[in-house]
């Protein structure tokens, strides 16, 4: 099964320009020899076969690839993977222990765009902080009770929008080491980091064809460890 899914994924990566050109020539030849009606009928049959056979195979191949990635994550982090009986149409999740804190990773493939969300316990329920990639929408308005924060590092301030209820607490948490860990998260698209209600939540873009889940989770855990370490030393 894994061999077949790998071969299908390899086929999906092939440049189809030449095959499509050949198919167009054949279709034009059929139209010239047998008339446009026969050519349209032949095209309809070809599309029907592609939908009935090709689409399910493509969905299955990507589901198999994702399942393998999740299995490797489960082994690497000694986690407990949770999936439904219909894996491709569910949102799998994994729980594992990280230095005494329960980590929950959820693959939200049906968000728009799809996201990976990791949540870990945070030691202080009173801390509230939000970090997001800078963009047009991120600068509009303020979250209820939150203030925009500048950390004094132009590179970080230009790249991210930071909001917090207590600016002093936010600045004490956003040390240079923490800023470096934020930058080091390999998937920055749609990156969102929040501390609220005793939890740290990191959300990034989800790509079911990615093989970088492990490095993404490693970077998120390094950020969490640095956050907790600096928060402990500053208290």
């Amino acid at each position: 099964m894994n061999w077949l899914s790998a071969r299908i994924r390899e086929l999906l990566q092939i440049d189809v320009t030449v095959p499509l050109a050949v198919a167009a020539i054949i279709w034009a030849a059929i139209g010239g020899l047998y008339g446009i009606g026969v050519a349209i009928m032949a095209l309809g049959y070809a599309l029907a076969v592609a939908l009935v056979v090709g689409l399910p195979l493509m969905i299955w191949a990507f589901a198999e690839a994702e399942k393998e990635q999740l299995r490797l994550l489960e082994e690497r982090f000694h986690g407990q993977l949770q999936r439904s009986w219909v894996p491709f149409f569910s949102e799998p999740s994994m729980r594992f222990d990280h230095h005494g804190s329960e980590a929950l990773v959820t693959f939200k493939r049906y968000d728009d765009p799809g996201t990976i969300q990791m949540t870990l316990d945070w030691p202080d329920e009173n801390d509230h902080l939000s970090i997001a990639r800078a963009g047009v929408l991120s600068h509009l308005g303020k979250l209820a009770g939150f203030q925009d924060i500048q950390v004094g590092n132009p590179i970080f301030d230009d790249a991210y929008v930071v909001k917090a209820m207590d600016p002093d607490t936010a600045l004490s948490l956003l040390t240079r080491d923490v800023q470096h860990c934020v930058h080091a998260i390999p998937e920055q698209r749609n990156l969102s980091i929040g501390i609220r209600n005793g939890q740290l939540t990191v959300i990034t873009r989800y790509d079911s064809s990615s093989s970088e889940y492990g490095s993404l989770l490693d970077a998120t855990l390094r950020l969490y460890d640095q956050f907790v370490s600096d928060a402990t030393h500053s208290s």
Side-chain angles (χ1 to χ4, degrees):
M1 287 293 187
N2 288 336
W3 178 88
L4 179 58
S5 65
R7 299 294 78 77
I8 293 174
R9 293 197 301 275
E10 288 176 2
L11 288 174
L12 292 173
Q13 295 173 0
I14 295 175
D15 186 354
V16 297
T17 304
V18 173
L20 285 177
V22 173
I25 293 172
I26 294 174
W27 183 75
I30 292 174
L33 291 172
Y34 302 104
I36 189 65
V38 174
I40 292 175
M41 186 179 298
L43 179 62
Y45 282 134
L47 291 175
V49 170
L51 287 174
V52 173
V53 178
L55 185 60
L57 280 176
M58 183 177 66
I59 292 174
W60 176 80
F62 279 112
E64 286 294 306
E66 181 187 67
K67 184 166 68 175
E68 178 64 13
Q69 290 293 332
L70 295 178
R71 185 190 66 78
L72 292 174
L73 284 181
E74 188 175 32
E75 291 181 358
R76 179 172 177 178
F77 293 96
H78 306 289
Q80 180 180 359
L81 193 61
Q82 299 173 329
R83 290 177 293 192
S84 78
W85 290 100
V86 189
F88 190 77
F89 297 100
S90 68
E91 293 185 336
S93 62
M94 182 178 70
R95 295 180 183 273
F96 62 95
D97 178 79
H98 179 68
H99 303 325
S101 173
E102 182 182 65
L104 171 63
V105 184
T106 306
F107 299 85
K108 295 182 172 292
R109 59 161 69 96
Y110 296 118
D111 283 1
D112 186 18
T115 59
I116 298 178
Q117 177 175 305
M118 176 183 278
T119 302
L120 297 110
D121 297 330
W122 183 256
D124 191 340
E125 292 190 357
N126 296 317
D127 289 341
H128 291 76
L129 178 68
S130 171
I131 306 170
R133 287 290 299 181
V136 175
L137 295 179
S138 61
H139 288 289
L140 297 178
K142 289 183 169 61
L143 297 174
F146 280 53
Q147 302 179 43
D148 290 343
I149 307 297
Q150 297 284 305
V151 301
N153 177 357
I155 296 176
F156 189 87
D157 289 334
D158 289 343
Y160 304 96
V161 174
V162 179
K163 298 177 184 290
M165 297 185 71
D166 183 352
D168 292 336
T169 298
L171 291 174
S172 68
L173 291 174
L174 291 171
T175 64
R176 287 280 180 165
D177 289 334
V178 166
Q179 294 171 40
H180 176 75
C181 289
V182 173
H183 274 298
I185 293 177
E187 179 53 84
Q188 292 278 319
R189 294 176 299 170
N190 300 93
L191 176 62
S192 173
I193 301 167
I195 297 175
R196 191 163 193 165
N197 299 328
Q199 289 187 323
L200 168 72
T201 301
V202 178
I203 301 174
T204 61
R205 177 75 70 90
Y206 169 78
D207 181 358
S208 61
S209 64
S210 173
S211 60
E212 300 300 321
Y213 296 156
S215 60
L216 176 59
L217 299 190
D218 281 337
T220 302
L221 293 174
R222 284 194 295 271
L223 171 64
Y224 173 78
D225 292 339
Q226 194 65 57
F227 255 136
V228 172
S229 175
D230 290 355
T232 302
H233 290 132
S234 65
S235 61

